[in-house]
């Protein structure tokens, strides 16, 4: 069902789809830019505490657990490794570049 919704949305209009194995589902579309944005654990932990109100005593454990679930989900539905560079047109390190620069790069590519 999720694949059908993603395919219908991509067919209808320009959009940004985050996660949901959309890179895999849309892999055969020439008009799709597959992007993976990553950051080091410390930057990610700081961000979820500051931006999302995560308790400051457990963000690294929460991130590791969440990444483990994401990787398992992606592997199960795609038979590929989550975050592997060959699955994407471009990968960006938001802790090195900053979120604003990542947006600028992607807007330029679009």
């Amino acid at each position: 069902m999720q694949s059908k919704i993603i395919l219908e949305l991509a067919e209808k209009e320009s959009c940004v789809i985050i996660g949901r194995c959309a890179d895999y589902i849309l892999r055969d579309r020439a008009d799709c830019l597959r992007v993976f944005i990553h950051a080091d654990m410390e930057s990610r932990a700081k961000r979820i505490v500051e931006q999302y109100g995560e308790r400051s005593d457990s963000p690294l454990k929460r991130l590791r657990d969440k990444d483990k679930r994401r990787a398992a989900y992606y592997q199960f539905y795609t038979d590929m490794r989550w975050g592997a560079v060959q699955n994407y047109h471009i990968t960006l390190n938001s802790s090195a570049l900053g979120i604003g620069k990542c947006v600028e790069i992607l807007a330029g590519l679009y």
Side-chain angles (χ1 to χ4, degrees):
M1 181 60 150
Q2 182 174 279
S3 294
K4 184 179 180 212
I5 292 168
I6 289 171
L7 289 166
E8 286 176 3
L9 185 59
E11 189 66 35
K12 187 184 341 179
E13 60 189 324
S14 294
C15 58
V16 175
I17 302 169
I18 300 171
R20 309 292 177 238
C21 301
D23 63 298
Y24 179 79
I25 294 165
L26 300 172
R27 69 191 176 281
D28 295 327
R29 289 187 61 109
D31 63 344
C32 178
L33 179 64
R34 296 186 316 269
V35 177
F36 189 82
I37 300 176
H38 57 96
D40 61 63
M41 276 297 202
E42 292 76 23
S43 296
R44 293 173 63 201
K46 181 179 177 189
R47 180 172 169 77
I48 66 169
V49 168
E50 292 176 356
Q51 299 289 319
Y52 304 110
E54 176 71 25
R55 292 188 329 251
S56 60
D57 61 337
S58 65
L60 290 174
K61 180 183 180 336
R62 179 177 154 93
L63 286 169
R64 280 190 216 95
D65 291 345
K66 191 166 190 119
D67 283 353
K68 187 175 181 178
R69 287 192 308 273
R70 284 178 175 150
Y73 179 91
Y74 192 84
Q75 171 74 33
F76 182 82
Y77 287 104
T78 69
D79 201 28
M80 296 174 15
R81 190 170 57 89
W82 177 67
V85 295
Q86 64 269 22
N87 299 340
Y88 306 94
H89 294 117
I90 186 171
T91 64
L92 300 171
N93 183 337
S94 65
S95 59
L97 298 169
I99 293 172
K101 188 65 171 177
C102 290
V103 170
E104 184 181 317
I105 290 168
L106 294 174
L109 287 171
Y110 175 75

